[in-house]
């Protein structure tokens, strides 16, 4: 074996050929190292399909690197010498290969980056060029701002990228944001496209077997796995969405429907977050679809905003605020996560649908996460750390940099409003408006205080009453508190009592 000049460690969510650490590799003397480790697969009980996705995509990526003539050292999970953690594997291969240099890209998880920086290997770190906004650039933008707002950051990213701008730098269509047009419920008779599916090949079948054997205690179905695991498959999924999903995505991106887990959503977030797709190319394709007249501006702008606005913004907040950010719990929540989050065993149809499809596909779209499972956790006062762990474990696309700010900040408002200006709390009326879930529910969404009343209704008012001291001063909550204050005392008391009863039921470990 030749002496090793450069050892490049590539993590399971860094499967892009474009990393700086992979440029200019010497095919004779440089080695790329990929390791499947138990610590990353089990520090939370990740959905088995997510472990399959990452390991299978890593194995395919290793093969693709070898086809380019690059030397690869690949450690499988069941390799008898596998030490079980990324830092330990790096040290083991450093000792075996004696490289002159070790290179890697910044991690997506503070915990892992911290342990790698502390492990004693002299790593040369590279920024993650997959993102438009680097960590230092975000810090410079956020510096000295008391409160951050995504909308202003997003405008900066639009200017920086040049996406959907007129020649004079103004936004196409005369506004930066067309979100108000993207909140339609799904009308009867509109049928979403059937989802693009990718059958497991021999590599994926091996991984499915490995995961079935080693992670049988993790929650979630394994045999429905149909995600793309190569760059070419991810591109095929993306092309399918451009042809069949994007035009209706804008209008119905917030809609929910029974037994329709995907609607017009692209399902590309997992492939994007592990490096199988490139954010710049996605945005450029969407912009081209708009300029060609095949999609409306609200669809194009809404999609691009998710990618260069929200996605980049939450990553920036994560690296700016970690590790303290993870301890946020501004409402002082103490309640444990109900068991039904792991089983879907609840009479609340909206929760059962959202959790059920999450267990089956490791997927739910943003409104199901924010306004159903997330909304319930917020209203019920669940410990932020436990609901954050659930999101990180259950969703295919959840990596710490994106999951934590979205859950702790946006869903739970546990950072006190640093990330978002108000809590996204809502009663059952919102769910009724945006879905058909209530029609098939054991609870009545029109009721608030009866035994069969929708739990979201009383819990919503209970949440507002118990956190009035913190929230009444929030300008965006003014109208809601006016409505509460206008309610007769007897109604307020009945809502409080029903809320108390529901919370006591959860505290007894019973389902709702
Ligand atoms: Fe969910 Fe309430 Fe509607 Fe049932 S009635 S589906 S619990 S919002």
């Amino acid at each position: 074996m030749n002496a090793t000049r450069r050892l490049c460690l590539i993590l399971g969510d860094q499967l892009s050929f474009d990393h700086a650490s992979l440029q200019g590799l010497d095919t004779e003397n440089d080695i790329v190292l990929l390791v499947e480790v138990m610590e990353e697969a089990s520090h939370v009980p990740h959905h088995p399909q997510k472990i399959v996705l990452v390991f299978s995509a890593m194995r395919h990526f290793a093969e693709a690197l070898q086809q380019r003539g690059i030397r690869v050292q690949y450690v499988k999970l069941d390799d008898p010498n596998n030490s079980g953690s990324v830092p330990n594997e790096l040290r083991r291969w450093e000792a075996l290969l004696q490289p002159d240099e070790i290179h890697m890209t910044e991690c997506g998880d503070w915990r892992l980056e911290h342990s790698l920086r502390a492990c004693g290997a002299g790593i040369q770190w590279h920024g993650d060029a997959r993102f438009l906004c680097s960590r230092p650039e975000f810090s410079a933008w956020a510096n000295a701002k008391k409160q951050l707002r995504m909308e202003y950051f997003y405008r900066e990213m639009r200017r920086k990228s040049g996406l959907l701008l007129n020649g004079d730098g103004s936004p196409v269509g005369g506004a930066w944001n067309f979100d108000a047009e993207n909140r339609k419920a799904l009308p009867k008779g509109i049928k979403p496209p059937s989802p693009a599916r990718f059958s497991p090949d021999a590599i994926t079948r091996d991984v499915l077997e490995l995961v079935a054997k080693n992670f049988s205690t993790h929650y979630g179905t394994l045999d429905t796995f149909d995600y793309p695991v190569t760059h070419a498959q991810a591109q095929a999924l993306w092309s399918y969405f451009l042809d069949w999903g994007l035009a209706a995505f804008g209008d119905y991106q917030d809609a929910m429907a029974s037994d329709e887990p995907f609607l017009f959503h692209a399902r590309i977030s997992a492939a994007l977050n592990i490096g199988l797709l490139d954010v710049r190319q996605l945005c450029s394709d969407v912009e081209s679809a708009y300029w060609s007249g095949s999609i409306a501006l609200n669809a194009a702008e809404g999609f691009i905003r998710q990618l260069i606005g929200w996605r980049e913004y939450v990553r920036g907040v994560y690296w700016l605020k970690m590790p303290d950010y993870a301890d946020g719990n501004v409402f002082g929540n103490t309640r444990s996560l109900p068991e039904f989050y792991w089983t879907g065993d609840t009479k609340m149809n909206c929760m059962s649908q959202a959790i059920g499809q999450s267990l089956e596909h490791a997927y739910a779209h943003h409104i199901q996460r924010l306004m159903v499972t997330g909304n319930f956790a917020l209203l019920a006062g669940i410990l932020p750390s436990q609901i954050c762990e659930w999101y990180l474990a259950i969703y295919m696309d959840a990596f710490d940099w994106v999951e934590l700010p979205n859950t702790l900040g946006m869903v739970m408002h546990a950072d006190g409003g640093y990330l978002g200006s108000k809590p996204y709390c809502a009663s059952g009326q919102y769910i009724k408006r945006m879905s058909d879930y209530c029609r098939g529910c054991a609870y009545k969404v029109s009721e608030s205080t009866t035994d069969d009343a929708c739990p979201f209704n009383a819990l919503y008012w209970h949440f507002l009453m118990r956190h009035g001291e913190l929230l009444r001063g929030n300008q965006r909550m003014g109208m809601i508190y006016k409505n509460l204050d206008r309610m007769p005392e007897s109604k307020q008391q009945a809502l409080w009592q029903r809320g108390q009863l529901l919370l006591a039921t959860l505290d007894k470990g019973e389902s709702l």
Side-chain angles (χ1 to χ4, degrees), residues 348-350 428 431 437-438 441 443-445 454-456:
M348 293 180 284
N349 191 38
C350 52
I431 296 170
Y437 292 152
C438 300
C441 187
Y443 293 105
K444 291 195 177 113
V445 73
C454 169
F456 280 85

Side-chain angles (χ1 to χ4, degrees), residues 375-405:
N375 186 23
F376 187 87
L378 172 71
L379 302 183
I382 304 302
L383 267 168
S385 57
Q386 292 195 5
I387 188 72
C388 286
E389 178 177 315
W390 182 78
Y391 276 95
L392 183 61
I394 218 79
Y395 290 117
M396 193 67 114
D397 54 11
F399 295 89
D400 210 45
W401 65 268
V402 63
E403 175 280 319
L404 188 77

Side-chain angles (χ1 to χ4, degrees), residues 346-351 372 376 427-432 435-447 452-457:
T346 162
K347 288 188 292 169
M348 293 180 284
N349 191 38
C350 52
M351 292 288 281
V372 180
F376 187 87
S427 71
Q429 292 306 315
Y430 175 87
I431 296 170
K432 182 188 166 210
S435 78
D436 62 358
Y437 292 152
C438 300
R439 273 185 249 146
C441 187
Y443 293 105
K444 291 195 177 113
V445 73
S446 53
E447 299 291 338
D452 58 356
C454 169
F456 280 85
N457 290 341

Side-chain angles (χ1 to χ4, degrees), residues 11 348 440 459 505:
L11 302 173
M348 293 180 284
L459 288 176
T505 306

